[in-house]
Amino acid sequence: QVQLVESGGGLVQAGGSLRLSCVHSGGIFSSYAMGWFRQAPGKEHEFVATVMWNGRDTYYADSVKGRFTISRDNAKNTVYLQMNSLKPEDTGVYSCAAALGRLSQTSSEYDFWGQGTQVTVSS
């Protein structure tokens, strides 16, 4: 069974940076496209970014384009989300997810999910 464990969340001031990590175990990491989603209190689950197995094909939500970078290290079974120029509206629980063989911004197309890590951006 695939397991995903996120880390790297925390409290940061607006304009600051954080780097999230998600370690994948129990499956063949390179078979999966990996995505990051977030959920703010009282709001729907929101797509943030996704990266294909090759690390080259990526897609971002308009709200984070130019500020966030998704990357992966297949040798370490890890996907990263580098978040720069953070804004208070970036606050939420960030979860990574794995989709077998496809790049998607739709949460229902992901097969496995982590528990999430809290990101709080103060103004």
Side-chain angles (χ1 to χ4, degrees):
Q1 181 74 359
V2 170
Q3 292 188 322
L4 303 173
V5 179
E6 303 95 335
S7 62
L11 173 64
V12 63
Q13 288 190 329
S17 297
L18 282 175
R19 188 195 197 201
L20 305 183
S21 299
C22 171
V23 178
H24 176 286
S25 63
I28 301 174
F29 182 61
S30 59
S31 297
Y32 293 88
M34 298 296 297
W36 286 98
F37 290 78
R38 67 187 180 189
Q39 188 166 23
K43 293 190 176 181
E44 297 287 323
H45 225 193
E46 178 188 15
F47 166 76
V48 175
T50 185
V51 59
M52 196 56 179
W53 66 271
N54 57 16
R56 294 193 300 270
D57 299 320
T58 59
Y59 190 79
Y60 296 91
D62 287 343
S63 59
V64 306
K65 205 171 292 183
R67 300 188 297 122
F68 290 12
T69 302
I70 189 170
S71 62
R72 64 191 293 162
D73 185 338
N74 287 346
K76 295 183 178 180
N77 290 352
T78 302
V79 62
Y80 304 97
L81 185 68
Q82 177 66 45
M83 305 186 295
N84 299 329
S85 302
L86 282 161
K87 304 175 181 180
E89 52 264 43
D90 294 318
T91 294
V93 176
Y94 283 69
S95 300
C96 71
L100 187 61
R102 57 191 177 276
L103 201 65
S104 176
Q105 59 180 310
T106 304
S107 59
S108 61
E109 294 188 354
Y110 284 78
D111 304 293
F112 302 99
W113 290 81
Q115 291 297 312
T117 185
Q118 177 69 47
V119 171
T120 303
V121 184
S122 63
S123 57

